[in-house]
Amino acid sequence: QVQLVESGGGLVQAGGSLRLSCAASGRTFSSYAMAMGWFRQAPGKEREFVGIRTFGGSTYYADSVKGRFTVSRDNAKNTVALQMNSLKPEDTAVYYCAARRMERGGSYYDTANYAYWGQGTQVTVSS
């Protein structure tokens, strides 16, 4: 019914940049206003919020990435991107695209409030 496919992960040196992309498909995306964004999970840690962009264009970011990461999206194409600049070794993680219906409610920061997830893409930042 809903599929999220990420691309763009890889290995980069500290201070470098990467851009992740996520393409969404499925009838839900053409029927409802959706919030789309990103979470990440480092080895041995819980999945954590990175950033989100609502259907109306509002953005929310984790404090750890503010000023370095930017979430953008194309509502017409059902795509969302994560531009990551000034990367640090602590940004190393599997990054997941996530989406939820706007009307669902609940905190954008909580993984439990997202119904749709991509398969994840690895980002490794070397020191």
Side-chain angles (χ1 to χ4, degrees), residues 85-107:
N85 299 327
S86 301
L87 281 160
K88 304 175 182 180
E90 51 263 43
D91 294 318
T92 295
V94 177
Y95 283 70
Y96 295 90
C97 179
R100 52 172 272 185
R101 287 168 55 176
M102 290 291 296
E103 62 194 48
R104 191 194 189 287
S107 170

Side-chain angles (χ1 to χ4, degrees), residues 6-125:
E6 302 106 333
S7 60
L11 173 65
V12 65
Q13 288 189 332
S17 299
L18 273 178
R19 183 177 177 87
L20 307 182
S21 298
C22 174
S25 60
R27 193 167 61 181
T28 297
F29 277 87
S30 58
S31 302
Y32 299 97
M34 306 291 287
M36 297 181 70
W38 300 88
F39 285 71
R40 68 186 182 187
Q41 188 167 17
K45 295 187 176 181
E46 293 188 352
R47 193 170 298 187
E48 65 175 8
F49 173 80
V50 174
I52 196 83
R53 193 172 186 97
T54 69
F55 187 82
S58 297
T59 52
Y60 303 86
Y61 295 99
D63 288 342
S64 59
V65 306
K66 279 181 182 176
R68 300 188 298 122
F69 291 11
T70 302
V71 179
S72 60
R73 63 181 288 182
D74 184 329
N75 288 341
K77 296 181 179 180
N78 290 331
T79 59
V80 64
L82 179 67
Q83 178 65 43
M84 303 183 291
N85 299 327
S86 301
L87 281 160
K88 304 175 182 180
E90 51 263 43
D91 294 318
T92 295
V94 177
Y95 283 70
Y96 295 90
C97 179
R100 52 172 272 185
R101 287 168 55 176
M102 290 291 296
E103 62 194 48
R104 191 194 189 287
S107 170
Y108 286 120
Y109 298 83
D110 190 345
T111 58
N113 293 321
Y114 290 81
Y116 310 108
W117 294 89
Q119 80 285 357
T121 185
Q122 177 70 46
V123 172
T124 303
V125 184

